[in-house]
Amino acid sequence: MNVKRLILVGLIVAAVALFFALDLGRFLSLEYLNQEKQRFDAYYGQHPLQTAMIFFFGYVLLAGLSLPGAVILTIAGGALFGFWVGLLLVSFASSIGALIAFLASRFLFRDWVQDRFGRNLRAINRGIQREGALYLFTLRLVPLFPFFVLNLAMGLTVIHAWTFYWVSQVGMLAGTAVFVNAGTQLGQLESLSGILSPGLLMSFVLLGIFPWLARRAVDLVESRLALRGWRRPKAFDTNLVVIGGGAAGLVTAYIAAAVRASVTLVERQRMGGDCLNTGCVPSKALIRCAKANHDLHRADRFGIRGASGEVDFPAVMERVAAAVKQVEPHDSVERYTGLGVDCVTGEARITSPWTVEVDGREIRTRSIVIASGAEPAVPPIPGLENMSYLTSDTLWSLRELPPRLLVIGAGPIGCELAQAFARLGSRVCVVDVAARILPREDADVSRFMSERLRDEGVQLLLSHVPAQFAREEGEKVMLAEYRDVTVRVAFDQVLVAVGRKARTAGLGLDKLNISLTESGTVEVNDYLQTSVPNILACGDVAGPYQFTHVCSHQAWYAAVNALFGRFWKFRVDYNVIPRVTFTDPEVASVGLGEHEAAADGLNYEVTRYGLDDLDRAITDGEDSGFVKVLTARGSDRVLGATIVGAHAGEMITEFVSAMRHGLGLNKILGTIHAYPTMAEANKYAAGEWKRAHAPEGILRMLAVLHRNRLGDTGVSAVAPDPE
């Protein structure tokens, strides 16, 4: 705490101590006011302005220091000055005093609170930025809530001081008027309960609810305006139409059917979407085949001599297809039909807020959820269209291993597939405009994985801008710009893996004026509603994350808000989102990385534990990698974690649970982990944190205690000098 804060704290403590030491609270009672009413009136008659100023600044001081007695002073304002003058003085004095308390709280504590709990407060901060005035106004209208607590609490948030002031001025006016008016009848007032009758309290509560009712009315008006010009059907064929049979759409339909709603699921191609057919399932099957070949060629590390093998690439791809086939029934039409979902195959187009056309058939529905997913993004590089390029969608038709594979993109998809093809025998070159691979991860993770990929023969051309594709002397080449130098790369196949874009074409969104974001996703609010309130979107088509587990997470909110949003809506919770890159070793993260924590200005510390020290990692020959945990400085609260290592995707779950449920590293350290397992690394990382925060003073005292308990044995309790 700096000098200015210390001085302010000292002044506040001194003022509060003086208030109680001099027992000034005895002057703030109804009994005292009644006794001294005539003297007050006489003094006010002789010195009206002086009396008003003393009262005004005294009230400001009392409210600014959050001292008890504001209610009595408010009554005194009415008793001494009458209703209108008293209301004027009290209204401004109370608001200015509240502002002083607000600013003091902000100056003294906000930075510390935001540094320590910033991650948990993000949702609150977003709510305050969006609707802080409404929150404050509602609380000001209800005198059951202690105003001094509200002043101090709001100082810790991101609400603007001017907003806090004017909302307080307006919001407290009704309650102030009640107490000032009571003061004008001081002689008839025996206790505060005479003012705050149950009926009056209920009136205040209803008054506090009014802004929310008004907001509900505004939402209703906006909904009516959005639907204006469209004719609503008199009857519906179904409660919900879900467009897209991928992860988001399937879970949405599943939940709707589970609550006995009538739901129609429309899929244009194959059930299961990208994850089953072209994404998660086939890519992980390919990665496993590549790892098997990699392990085979390093079998001598495990004492197995002469092991050899040859990659049968068509057989590899058939094994990938077989894995897809085995998972397929989980997402099949038959399964979902059995669950009560009406599955329809065809191209869906939204023709009104309540109608969806599928290949000429019109379906009338109360609500619509768009879950059409995403597709590979292809950059507009001259000549690329003539290269028969591959994407993560078309890759799976390959039956011949490319001798030279060029990968455009060094994100998770690019790195996973580059390593897999290199292990299967391709000469792989990865090109990216970014300065490092996996740019979303911390720099140390990027360095680690860059070294691993290079060790396995993958060429990395980073900070290279692909400028043109061409054929030269019968050979496919890419020309890239690197520091004013043109770099030429020859290849046999090019894989484009620069990311994915939302699949929105042909849905009819423009006809309904449903907006897209700058990144091309469907624009939705916190409840996943589009500008047309009964049309929602979830999954990759809505963003902001393109992970299958987030698609499923959003789907619950989409289904519930679509079916029950008229009565109650739920905001999507994005607080703790894990991610995994399935390279070898895997890279798993949750929460903040170092670069994010630094950008947010958080006061944090980093704890690392190397897997080269872990027994199970050593026995498995997987002792490469680390566990890294970010905690708030001086606390065991987890801000984020990154694991680079074998089975990192499974190991990260412990930190996801810890962050989700507010468990710190001490709890992880106190949890029994089976031995020997990779998950023990999480416990040992917690142990590293604990060791760094050992109470040295207490440990020195314990050392003295144990030494003294040895008694006079004639043997030194201190280890002898090895010299």
Side-chain angles (χ1 to χ4, degrees):
M1 188 175 288
N2 60 31
V3 176
K4 292 181 179 179
R5 286 189 173 90
L6 287 173
I7 292 173
L8 180 58
V9 169
L11 291 174
I12 293 173
V13 170
V16 172
L18 191 64
F19 177 86
F20 288 104
L22 299 178
D23 193 21
L24 298 180
R26 70 182 186 277
F27 300 117
L28 300 174
S29 67
L30 285 176
E31 183 181 359
Y32 182 80
L33 285 178
N34 276 312
Q35 290 175 356
E36 301 296 325
K37 176 70 166 55
Q38 291 183 348
R39 293 178 61 186
F40 288 157
D41 289 341
Y43 190 84
Y44 177 50
Q46 297 176 7
H47 311 284
L49 183 60
Q50 183 180 12
T51 306
M53 290 299 98
I54 292 173
F55 176 86
F56 181 86
F57 287 110
Y59 199 121
V60 169
L61 182 63
L62 191 79
L65 292 172
S66 301
L67 292 170
V71 173
I72 299 300
L73 273 187
T74 303
I75 294 171
L80 184 58
F81 303 105
F83 179 77
W84 291 110
V85 175
L87 181 63
L88 180 69
L89 290 172
V90 172
S91 177
F92 281 95
S94 60
S95 299
I96 293 172
L99 179 63
I100 291 172
F102 167 90
L103 293 174
S105 173
R106 172 161 293 184
F107 178 71
L108 292 174
F109 304 115
R110 187 178 72 167
D111 290 346
W112 178 82
V113 168
Q114 292 291 338
D115 283 348
R116 189 174 179 84
F117 306 107
R119 183 72 177 177
N120 295 336
L121 293 174
R122 282 187 173 182
I124 295 176
N125 288 336
R126 284 196 298 268
I128 291 293
Q129 288 174 334
R130 185 176 55 250
E131 296 182 310
L134 179 64
Y135 295 154
L136 178 60
F137 184 60
T138 301
L139 292 171
R140 286 299 194 201
L141 285 173
V142 184
L144 291 175
F145 193 86
F147 284 174
F148 79 93
V149 174
L150 184 59
N151 300 336
L152 301 177
M154 293 301 287
L156 305 178
T157 71
V158 295
I159 193 171
H160 292 298
W162 169 245
T163 302
F164 174 85
Y165 173 76
W166 75 258
V167 172
S168 298
Q169 184 79 52
V170 175
M172 291 191 293
L173 190 60
T176 300
V178 170
F179 284 95
V180 170
N181 183 64
T184 64
Q185 311 297 320
L186 182 64
Q188 305 171 27
L189 192 63
E190 296 181 359
S191 69
L192 294 181
S193 61
I195 305 172
L196 293 177
S197 64
L200 184 60
L201 286 175
M202 181 57 66
S203 299
F204 275 126
V205 170
L206 292 175
L207 195 60
I209 295 174
F210 176 76
W212 298 101
L213 296 177
R215 169 53 61 90
R216 182 71 175 171
V218 169
D219 289 344
L220 185 61
V221 171
E222 290 178 347
S223 173
R224 295 287 186 186
L225 291 175
L227 300 173
R228 186 176 57 183
W230 297 100
R231 179 172 295 178
R232 188 173 184 268
K234 293 181 179 180
F236 298 95
D237 303 312
T238 186
N239 297 113
L240 179 64
V241 167
V242 181
I243 301 174
L250 290 173
V251 177
T252 301
Y254 181 96
I255 292 170
V259 295
R260 300 299 187 267
S262 172
V263 55
T264 299
L265 176 65
V266 183
E267 170 53 47
R268 66 191 183 97
Q269 289 182 326
R270 293 173 291 179
M271 292 281 281
D274 300 326
C275 183
L276 170 64
N277 298 292
T278 62
C280 311
V281 174
S283 66
K284 302 316 166 275
L286 181 70
I287 288 169
R288 183 64 185 90
C289 293
K291 180 172 173 56
N293 189 52
H294 179 68
D295 289 343
L296 180 66
H297 286 84
R298 60 173 191 159
D300 58 337
R301 296 180 58 202
F302 301 96
I304 303 173
R305 305 296 179 192
S308 63
E310 182 178 337
V311 173
D312 182 346
F313 190 71
V316 167
M317 298 306 282
E318 288 304 320
R319 193 262 173 186
V320 170
V324 174
K325 279 289 184 184
Q326 190 172 347
V327 177
E328 210 168 57
H330 301 167
D331 301 339
S332 65
V333 170
E334 291 76 16
R335 182 189 179 212
Y336 276 79
T337 300
L339 292 170
V341 178
D342 177 25
C343 297
V344 177
T345 302
E347 292 279 354
R349 184 168 63 90
I350 304 171
T351 54
S352 85
W354 301 281
T355 55
V356 176
E357 185 182 284
V358 183
D359 295 342
R361 170 193 170 190
E362 184 179 81
I363 304 172
R364 297 169 299 175
T365 178
R366 295 190 68 90
S367 298
I368 300 167
V369 171
I370 303 168
S372 51
E375 59 194 15
V378 180
I381 305 172
L384 178 60
E385 68 278 6
N386 300 320
M387 294 293 109
S388 300
Y389 61 84
L390 301 169
T391 67
S392 57
D393 276 4
T394 61
L395 170 69
W396 313 107
S397 61
L398 273 183
R399 288 301 180 271
E400 183 178 340
L401 182 69
R404 297 173 299 177
L405 178 65
L406 174 63
V407 179
I408 307 297
I413 296 174
C415 287
E416 288 178 8
L417 294 176
Q419 185 182 45
F421 273 90
R423 288 180 165 189
L424 291 170
S426 293
R427 289 169 51 198
V428 180
C429 176
V430 177
V431 178
D432 201 300
V433 298
R436 57 188 180 90
I437 69 171
L438 302 176
R440 187 171 181 180
E441 307 297 337
D442 283 334
D444 57 343
V445 175
S446 295
R447 285 193 300 270
F448 184 97
M449 289 309 304
S450 293
E451 293 174 6
R452 172 57 70 93
L453 292 179
R454 288 190 175 107
D455 287 345
E456 295 189 15
V458 177
Q459 182 183 10
L460 300 179
L461 299 182
L462 304 175
S463 300
H464 283 63
V465 181
Q468 184 179 355
F469 285 85
R471 293 180 184 269
E472 295 180 357
E473 300 177 358
E475 187 173 55
K476 297 177 182 179
V477 297
M478 179 206 66
L479 302 178
E481 300 298 328
Y482 175 71
R483 297 180 181 176
D484 299 326
V485 176
T486 300
V487 178
R488 179 183 181 276
V489 180
F491 61 91
D492 298 300
Q493 290 275 10
V494 57
L495 170 64
V496 179
V498 296
R500 298 174 64 78
K501 62 178 182 179
R503 190 180 285 118
T504 59
L507 292 175
L509 303 184
D510 52 345
K511 183 179 178 182
L512 283 85
N513 294 319
I514 293 177
S515 303
L516 304 181
T517 66
E518 291 183 2
S519 61
T521 57
V522 176
E523 187 169 1
V524 295
N525 62 15
D526 291 345
Y527 307 98
L528 300 177
Q529 293 173 297
T530 68
S531 53
V532 180
N534 67 309
I535 299 179
L536 298 85
C538 65
D540 289 354
V541 75
Y545 305 97
Q546 291 186 334
F547 305 135
T548 297
H549 47 281
V550 176
C551 295
S552 301
H553 177 68
Q554 286 182 326
W556 184 91
Y557 293 91
V560 171
N561 289 340
L563 295 172
F564 306 109
R566 185 177 181 181
F567 312 105
W568 194 265
K569 294 184 295 187
F570 296 86
R571 282 193 178 91
V572 187
D573 179 6
Y574 295 118
N575 274 337
V576 183
I577 303 293
R579 62 182 182 271
V580 183
T581 300
F582 292 91
T583 47
D584 182 14
E586 294 175 356
V587 177
S589 301
V590 64
L592 297 177
E594 288 189 71
H595 62 294
E596 294 168 312
D600 288 350
L602 299 181
N603 191 8
Y604 66 94
E605 53 186 304
V606 179
T607 302
R608 291 175 69 99
Y609 173 75
L611 296 183
D612 57 352
D613 185 60
L614 183 67
D615 293 1
R616 180 58 184 270
I618 294 170
T619 61
D620 285 358
E622 302 285 4
D623 55 342
S624 181
F626 55 86
V627 177
K628 180 172 69 171
V629 186
L630 269 68
T631 50
R633 185 165 296 280
S635 166
D636 72 335
R637 185 172 56 88
V638 179
L639 299 176
T642 298
I643 303 175
V644 179
H647 310 293
E650 278 75 29
M651 293 165 62
I652 198 67
T653 301
E654 186 165 24
F655 290 111
V656 176
S657 297
M659 293 182 66
R660 180 69 181 174
H661 301 292
L663 305 177
L665 291 182
N666 280 313
K667 294 293 186 183
I668 293 177
L669 183 61
T671 300
I672 298 174
H673 293 65
Y675 175 88
T677 59
M678 294 296 293
E680 281 188 296
N682 297 340
K683 179 174 182 175
Y684 293 144
E688 290 294 320
W689 177 88
K690 190 70 171 180
R691 188 176 297 110
H693 294 81
E696 293 298 332
I698 294 176
L699 292 177
R700 283 193 295 270
M701 292 172 60
L702 289 174
V704 173
L705 171 65
H706 292 310
R707 190 163 55 246
N708 290 338
R709 293 186 69 191
L710 292 176
D712 187 9
T713 62
V715 179
S716 173
V718 180
D721 191 325
E723 295 294 327

